[in-house]
Amino acid sequence: MKYKILKALDVAGLQFLDPIVRLIYGEEPKVQLSKIGRFIVIPILAFIAFLGIWGYVAPKHATKSGEVPTPGVVANAADGIWTFHKRENIKSRDYLLAGDRKETSLTEAQDRLASITKAEKAASSKVAEAQSALSAEIASLQAPHKKELAELKAFNKTASNSRKDSLSELAESVSENSSSEREAYLDALRDHNSLSALEKENEKKISAKIDEIAGMKYQPLIDARFALKLVAEEKQFLQKRVEYLSKNNRSEKVAEYEAKLGEYEATLASSSGKELEKTGARILRQEERIERVSDSSYAQPWTFPRQIKRSLMCVFFGFILASMIAIPIGILCGLSSVFMAAMTPFIALFKPVSPIVWLPIALIVVGGFIPDPDKHWFIDSINSLPIIGSYDLNPAFIASAITVALCSLWPTLVNTALGVASIDKDHINVARVLRLGFWSRLFKIVIPSALPLIFAGLRISLGVGWMVLIAAELLSSSEGIGKFVWDMFNNGSSDSFAQMFVVVFVVGLIGMILDRTMIVFQRLVSFDEAPTSI
Amino acid sequence: MAYLELENVSIGFGPPTSRTEVLQNINLSVAENEFVAVIGFSGSGKSTLMSLLSGLQKPDVGEVRLQGQRITSPGPHLGMMFQNYSLLPWLSVYGNIELAVKQVFRKFSKKQLKEHVDRYIEMVSLTPASWKKPHELSGGMRQRVSLARTLAMQPEVLVLDEPLSALDALTRAVLQDEIIRIWEEDKRTVVMITNDVDEALLMADRIVPLTMGPKATLADDFPVTLERPRDRATLNINPEFKKLKMDVTNFMIGMNKEAKELRVDTNVKMPDIKPTHFHAA
Ligand SMILES: Nc1ncnc2c1ncn2[C@@H]1O[C@H](COP(=O)(O)OP(=O)(O)OP(=O)(O)O)[C@@H](O)[C@H]1O
Ligand SMILES: [Mg+2]
């Protein structure tokens, strides 16, 4: 059992859990503890230290979008993103509810709304309290400075006036043709001006101090405002919810339209001539409307988790496309030196091209194939697939996937070619002795022996694809993580700044998971004990 | 007409500027159902000879023929067992043998296939390791897999390149008997490389020594006329066996000496000095 677990951990690339399992089974506790210290505790400590430094440094740097968010703010932002997503899901479910379940949900939401309204009042009075406390604090802190300033100003004024008086006197007393006395006057005037400037400067310094106090950070107020914001958001959500459970609910709408239809039908029974024509048209229109509404669903906005899923789907499409191109071509390259020679210039030329160049080309080409995305059979057919369809795949998505493919196919291609070309001569000899035909030689000897290298290439490709994807989405504004970042950047509030930090961690985490998954595959296909790098 | 035949065969490697002629002027004819053992020093070209016989390499000069037909390509009827085993590392013991058997016996049903493969795995006592991959096996186990694979193909000609060199004496004895049994029962022709004169004498009808390379060629052969079945226990005291063993060994040693003498003498003569006196202890 123990060895099975250890083996599974090994294959899954989770070797750092190995000492814990061994410790549980009581194997050499000292060794295991030191391993745990090295491979688990130290990384965790390093991460905590990183958070600490970040939290300390971040507030020191102010930007146009507000302060650089601290870890706490980023965590709040992540929480906010998640709450938004959950609420949108609830709304979309509410829209479709009908009957008893709708009614119970409605009362529930209304109760909650009542209590949240109270809570909002409390929160806003808290804010007002904090505000007045802050004002008092500011006033008390400012008072000595203000006093100092007033005194300084009065003092400076008298000094300045007396200097001005003496200057006028000096001007009066200048004798008619003494240039040196005129010079002296000018010098005195210069002195006066520089003294005045100095005095102004000193006054400004004190005013700056006063301003600084006025803009001081007051944590209770920040907290109170944040609490109020949360409550207000929830209130708004609950109001919307109530709406979707009552008059904006699908079944309610359908019922309403059907009632109308009933009226029209009643009119129809007793109408003729022009009247009949009009009512008939109305009835048909109403029937159409009912049909449309009864299979409509809530127009869910693009929440971050949905964008993540769409990004994953995009990278997956691109990756599959890249593999479908790269592996066959790589195999051909490895098998035939002529083909390899023919492909080399293309590989050398296209490999370094940046995604930012491929994307517009892909957009144009895809746009050429799909001039009207709303009425194209391909788009329609993929959007009518069960789960995939709800992600609204459009030409921008396809272009992004193609860009991902174009940028990520090279490592797989090169590795596959290398793997196939460097097949062991002994294995070829076995194939010759057995007189394997071309296809069985390919599938039983060549590909299996190249598989570890192919998977190493695929792993790099997936990593590249994931990095490229974000840029591609950002540029093509195809809904996804890249689009989210772009929207946040254009928002420019300090909240969206924190959300961008959330994106950093999410992208990193997903990239890591993808890489780990590929490592598992790589290990499963590798036949020798050669360890795969972490 | 000989069954398997090499006529005036020469082969070398490398570009013309730095060419090593490995084998020169090789003439060998093996009769049908004959068991020939080839012995020779390391690096003399034994494996090269085997790859010529199995069609994996073409001679530069001369011809290799099977039943009068020139051998142009390798095939499963020329069952080559490679010196370095050449197992496919991504397949298990079973998978390696299965691949060969499937290719040779295309008409086998699934059951027949499994029985056949299992029989040969059993023969080399690897049943408990059937599902292991080559990298999980010891050197000797790998050699046994390779042997089982070659035998399982039931080739008309067995071309065995040091098939038992990595095995302990006991396993080796069992497999020697097994090869002899297959050869006798199924009427095969065997060409086997061995570095063990006892083994050659025990198994072969004829021992063919390969001279030292480069430009190695075959020396006069030693027919082994010992009566079959040869019993390992009594063989050692059989005078004919003893004589043959002596002859072959002496021939090989002589060849080694000859080769050394042919080379430029690099031994520096040491002056013949003796201590003139010792200090008494
Ligand atoms: N593909 C090759 N290219 C160049 N030289 C080769 C090649 N194959 C064999 N040789 C040379 O031919 C000579 C004979 O090699 P071979 O493998 O036949 O020796 P061998 O008698 O089987 O030795 P051993 O008993 O160690 O297996 C060696 O000197 C080797 O360097
Ligand atoms: Mg050899």
Side-chain angles (χ1 to χ4, degrees):
Chain A
M1 184 61 196
K2 172 176 148 194
Y3 287 100
K4 262 192 194 154
I5 297 176
L6 290 181
K7 176 107 195 184
L9 287 180
D10 184 47
V11 169
L14 298 171
Q15 291 97 331
F16 66 94
L17 294 177
D18 188 297
I20 294 184
V21 175
R22 286 183 195 271
L23 190 67
I24 291 169
Y25 281 91
E27 184 188 314
E28 292 179 295
K30 262 199 183 148
V31 179
Q32 307 312 334
L33 282 176
S34 93
K35 274 191 191 162
I36 290 175
R38 194 149 12 115
F39 297 121
I40 298 176
V41 177
I42 290 185
I44 290 176
L45 286 181
F47 196 73
I48 291 172
F50 163 71
L51 290 182
I53 294 171
W54 173 14
Y56 177 74
V57 172
K60 309 240 173 251
H61 178 66
T63 67
K64 261 190 262 169
S65 317
E67 274 167 11
V68 177
T70 57
V73 176
V74 172
N76 281 339
D79 199 46
I81 289 173
W82 184 239
T83 313
F84 177 60
H85 175 67
K86 273 193 303 196
R87 287 181 181 163
E88 287 304 324
N89 279 348
I90 292 175
K91 278 196 238 169
S92 92
R93 205 189 55 218
D94 284 349
Y95 177 71
L96 304 179
L97 279 184
D100 282 349
R101 291 192 45 209
K102 192 191 79 180
E103 293 310 319
T104 48
S105 295
L106 182 59
T107 39
E108 194 185 290
Q110 276 163 338
D111 290 351
R112 180 94 186 110
L113 184 59
S115 70
I116 211 80
T117 315
K118 268 187 217 132
E120 192 193 19
K121 280 214 184 88
S124 49
S125 69
K126 273 245 178 66
V127 170
E129 246 169 57
Q131 194 105 53
S132 58
L134 175 62
S135 309
E137 173 97 19
I138 288 173
S140 78
L141 283 176
Q142 279 176 338
H145 295 293
K146 275 191 173 152
K147 197 169 150 234
E148 196 188 348
L149 181 64
E151 280 168 5
L152 188 64
K153 269 189 176 157
F155 178 80
N156 285 347
K157 189 131 201 193
T158 38
S160 166
N161 283 345
S162 77
R163 282 202 305 274
K164 272 183 194 152
D165 288 348
S166 52
L167 271 176
S168 325
E169 266 170 41
L170 196 60
E172 292 286 328
S173 67
V174 170
S175 50
E176 214 148 281
N177 42 20
S178 161
S179 63
S180 64
E181 278 178 13
R182 288 198 174 85
E183 283 291 319
Y185 172 77
L186 275 182
D187 281 345
L189 189 59
R190 254 184 220 117
D191 286 349
H192 166 71
N193 278 350
S194 58
L195 272 177
S196 303
L198 204 66
E199 283 159 356
K200 280 256 163 58
E201 191 76 8
N202 286 337
E203 284 168 19
K204 254 190 205 152
K205 267 184 200 154
I206 296 176
S207 314
K209 253 183 213 158
I210 293 171
D211 288 348
E212 197 188 323
I213 291 168
M216 81 189 236
K217 230 171 127 180
Y218 186 56
Q219 200 56 42
L221 181 60
I222 295 175
D223 292 345
R225 280 205 180 123
F226 184 67
L228 177 61
K229 183 181 145 234
L230 290 187
V231 175
E233 275 172 7
E234 186 170 356
K235 186 183 163 197
Q236 202 188 11
F237 157 67
L238 288 167
Q239 283 167 340
K240 277 272 175 229
R241 222 191 137 184
V242 168
E243 220 175 85
Y244 283 114
L245 285 166
S246 51
K247 70 174 199 295
N248 261 343
N249 184 275
R250 183 169 75 176
S251 58
E252 294 278 321
K253 273 192 191 168
V254 171
E256 189 193 324
Y257 291 157
E258 267 167 359
K260 257 278 172 48
L261 183 65
E263 272 173 39
Y264 292 150
E265 273 163 355
T267 338
L268 183 77
S270 61
S271 63
S272 56
K274 270 260 181 309
E275 176 87 23
L276 178 64
E277 276 176 34
K278 222 163 99 188
T279 328
R282 265 193 190 153
I283 287 179
L284 291 192
R285 228 181 301 135
Q286 194 69 1
E287 275 171 355
E288 218 172 78
R289 195 184 280 168
I290 289 171
E291 194 181 331
R292 208 172 51 234
V293 169
S294 55
D295 45 58
S296 68
S297 59
Y298 173 67
Q300 204 174 3
W302 284 101
T303 61
F304 189 47
R306 283 189 75 208
Q307 283 171 318
I308 293 175
K309 282 189 212 153
R310 197 168 189 267
S311 284
L312 280 173
M313 211 145 70
C314 191
V315 85
F316 185 69
F317 269 85
F319 178 64
I320 297 282
L321 188 63
S323 314
M324 286 193 321
I325 298 169
I327 295 177
I329 293 184
I331 289 174
L332 285 178
C333 281
L335 287 180
S336 146
S337 50
V338 176
F339 192 76
M340 173 78 112
M343 287 304 291
T344 306
F346 296 102
I347 297 175
L349 191 65
F350 294 139
K351 196 165 73 164
V353 176
S354 142
I356 298 177
V357 183
W358 284 126
L359 182 77
I361 297 175
L363 275 172
I364 293 170
V365 172
V366 172
F369 279 111
I370 307 175
D372 184 4
D374 292 331
K375 281 191 210 108
H376 194 272
W377 62 269
F378 181 68
I379 301 279
D380 283 349
S381 59
I382 49 177
N383 274 330
S384 63
L385 293 174
I387 294 162
I388 298 172
S390 65
Y391 287 92
D392 182 28
L393 307 192
N394 52 12
F397 178 91
I398 297 171
S400 305
I402 290 175
T403 306
V404 167
L406 285 175
C407 293
S408 70
L409 62 86
W410 309 107
T412 303
L413 201 162
V414 173
N415 264 29
T416 306
L418 179 69
V420 170
S422 63
I423 177 171
D424 199 329
K425 202 159 180 295
D426 291 342
H427 302 157
I428 293 288
N429 277 344
V430 172
R432 290 177 64 197
V433 167
L434 293 178
R435 287 221 179 123
L436 294 179
F438 175 78
W439 293 109
S440 33
R441 195 181 281 214
L442 186 65
F443 285 110
K444 293 198 172 138
I445 311 282
V446 174
I447 293 180
S449 98
L451 217 49
L453 265 176
I454 294 179
F455 268 80
L458 286 175
R459 183 182 155 205
I460 304 172
S461 283
L462 190 56
V464 170
W466 183 240
M467 281 209 268
V468 164
L469 174 74
I470 313 281
E473 283 175 342
L474 198 147
L475 281 176
S476 69
S477 47
S478 162
E479 285 297 345
I481 298 177
K483 176 82 183 317
F484 182 82
V485 173
W486 188 237
D487 290 346
M488 289 304 117
F489 178 70
N490 286 334
N491 256 356
S493 76
S494 79
D495 201 27
S496 49
F497 197 20
Q499 289 179 339
M500 283 193 236
F501 277 73
V502 176
V503 173
V504 170
F505 286 97
V506 169
V507 170
L509 198 70
I510 293 174
M512 191 180 83
I513 293 170
L514 292 179
D515 194 53
R516 289 271 138 188
T517 318
M518 287 309 290
I519 289 182
V520 174
F521 283 120
Q522 205 182 334
R523 292 180 72 94
L524 287 178
V525 298
S526 72
F527 34 78
D528 41 12
E529 289 284 66
T532 331
S533 66
I534 52 162
Chain B
M1 190 178 61
Y3 178 68
L4 180 64
E5 210 173 7
L6 286 102
E7 194 184 313
N8 275 331
V9 165
S10 298
I11 188 170
F13 294 105
T17 46
S18 60
R19 195 163 173 78
T20 43
E21 296 295 341
V22 177
L23 296 176
Q24 202 161 48
N25 222 354
I26 301 266
N27 284 294
L28 176 70
S29 45
V30 181
E32 188 156 14
N33 202 20
E34 195 183 14
F35 197 131
V36 173
V38 177
I39 57 173
F41 290 102
S42 176
S44 54
K46 302 184 299 292
S47 299
T48 311
L49 181 66
M50 296 313 236
S51 60
L52 287 172
L53 278 177
S54 62
L56 284 167
Q57 264 165 3
K58 288 204 180 66
D60 297 336
V61 184
E63 258 184 34
V64 186
R65 286 190 293 263
L66 179 70
Q67 291 178 307
Q69 294 276 313
R70 192 185 216 155
I71 297 175
T72 51
S73 68
H77 59 294
L78 295 163
M80 170 81 170
M81 176 184 164
F82 297 92
Q83 187 177 13
N84 53 6
Y85 319 145
S86 295
L87 300 174
L88 303 178
W90 54 89
L91 293 179
S92 63
V93 169
Y94 186 92
N96 265 288
I97 298 172
E98 189 195 29
L99 177 70
V101 174
K102 252 191 191 161
Q103 191 62 20
V104 179
F105 303 98
R106 286 159 186 271
K107 293 198 186 94
F108 269 9
S109 68
K110 268 198 181 139
K111 198 164 144 265
Q112 277 175 310
L113 181 75
K114 186 166 163 32
E115 272 171 13
H116 190 90
V117 175
D118 282 340
R119 185 148 60 85
Y120 282 91
I121 293 179
E122 174 73 56
M123 184 185 288
V124 295
S125 335
L126 282 175
T127 310
S130 321
W131 298 108
K132 285 195 172 163
K133 298 275 168 71
H135 70 88
E136 295 166 311
L137 302 176
S138 74
M141 287 161 98
R142 280 180 227 178
Q143 190 167 38
R144 269 140 62 196
V145 181
S146 182
L147 179 65
R149 179 174 65 185
T150 307
L151 297 180
M153 294 192 292
Q154 303 189 336
E156 289 157 35
V157 184
L158 281 161
V159 185
L160 309 175
D161 194 346
E162 303 197 17
L164 308 171
S165 58
L167 304 179
D168 62 288
L170 220 61
T171 320
R172 196 170 179 147
V174 172
L175 290 177
Q176 280 169 351
D177 291 347
E178 209 53 67
I179 294 173
I180 292 172
R181 187 188 60 73
I182 288 172
W183 165 69
E184 276 177 345
E185 281 177 13
D186 301 350
K187 299 276 176 236
R188 306 285 166 201
T189 308
V190 180
V191 182
M192 180 178 89
I193 292 176
T194 176
N195 48 22
D196 181 351
V197 179
D198 284 20
E199 184 173 84
L201 287 171
L202 177 76
M203 298 172 80
D205 293 327
R206 190 148 59 101
I207 297 177
V208 186
L210 192 63
T211 62
M212 294 281 274
K215 298 191 181 175
T217 189
L218 294 176
D220 287 344
D221 49 8
F222 295 85
V224 184
T225 46
L226 294 166
E227 209 163 287
R228 291 182 193 265
R230 297 169 188 165
D231 181 8
R232 212 171 268 106
T234 55
L235 212 54
N236 265 325
I237 47 168
N238 182 329
E240 199 186 339
F241 171 84
K242 280 195 205 161
K243 185 178 174 302
L244 263 171
K245 184 174 174 182
M246 188 97 100
D247 286 352
V248 173
T249 315
N250 282 341
F251 178 81
M252 296 305 284
I253 293 171
M255 201 163 63
N256 194 15
K257 264 201 193 131
E258 223 172 88
K260 269 199 183 139
E261 275 158 18
L262 273 179
R263 278 190 227 130
V264 188
D265 196 353
T266 50
N267 277 347
V268 180
K269 271 251 168 80
M270 295 303 256
D272 189 23
I273 44 172
K274 279 181 193 152
T276 46
H277 54 262
F278 293 94
H279 288 287

